[in-house]
Amino acid sequence: MQNVKVYPLINKEEIEKKISELAEKISTDYKNKDLVLVCILKGAWIFMADLVRKLTIPVKCDFLGVSSYGSGTESSGVVRILSDLTIQVEGKHVLIVEDIIDTGLTLKYIKDLMLQRKPKSVKICALLDKPARHKIEVKIDYLGFTIPNKFVVGYGIDYDERFRNLPYIGYIEFEEKK
Ligand code: IMP
Ligand code: MG
């Protein structure tokens, strides 16, 4: 049997400060524009909730349910849409809000899907980026933190549906149970 242990990586205060900076940039860049924030569920849920409350411009919020992982820590490479948007994004500016960019495959799929709907623009806002794992080139327009090649959890992000409720971001390691 294995025990999962969580080690702290980014604390609450650092996250809050970074989100304020991102919100300020987004509020400036999208001033007087018709903006729809698309939260990628489930991982980006808490990030999105904190981010939108710091924006100073009017926005619409929508949610896209996707699944790219099974219950392990490796990408399956297959993206499944579990629930779609309810807002029409044609002619609007779309900002995809994602928790973490790992291989980049999920994001590429989602960006292409959004582009098919003829929005005015599609940009990416990601809380975390793991560049060591990229399999394709990924352009992140608004980024929180670059992180090392560790499996992270907390602040909405899970390992096998656990740890989403941690108020900070940590990484996990497995140890043998005695
Ligand atoms: P990608 O397609 O490999 O870029 O995977 C992106 C998605 O996998 C993210 O939106 C997360 O849901 C999940 N993911 C990637 N890395 C981690 C991690 O370190 N912890 C938890 N989930 C992760
Ligand atoms: Mg995700």
Side-chain angles (χ1 to χ4, degrees), residues 38-76:
V38 172
C39 172
I40 309 304
L41 296 174
K42 300 178 197 165
W45 141 69
I46 293 180
F47 175 37
M48 171 92 159
D50 282 347
L51 182 69
V52 291
R53 283 179 289 175
K54 292 225 157 94
L55 295 175
T56 55
I57 51 167
V59 290
K60 289 181 179 166
C61 303
D62 210 345
F63 303 87
L64 187 70
V66 305
S67 157
S68 51
Y69 278 172
S71 57
T73 58
E74 277 301 306
S75 180
S76 66

Side-chain angles (χ1 to χ4, degrees), residues 68-69 98-100 102-106 130 151-152 157-158:
S68 51
Y69 278 172
E98 175 63 306
D99 53 356
I100 174 166
D102 191 36
T103 62
L105 296 172
T106 306
K130 246 193 257 181
F151 196 85
V152 293
I157 303 168
D158 75 308

Side-chain angles (χ1 to χ4, degrees), residues 151-164:
F151 196 85
V152 293
V153 295
Y155 197 69
I157 303 168
D158 75 308
Y159 164 66
D160 205 6
E161 293 304 328
R162 294 171 62 193
F163 308 117
R164 289 194 198 275

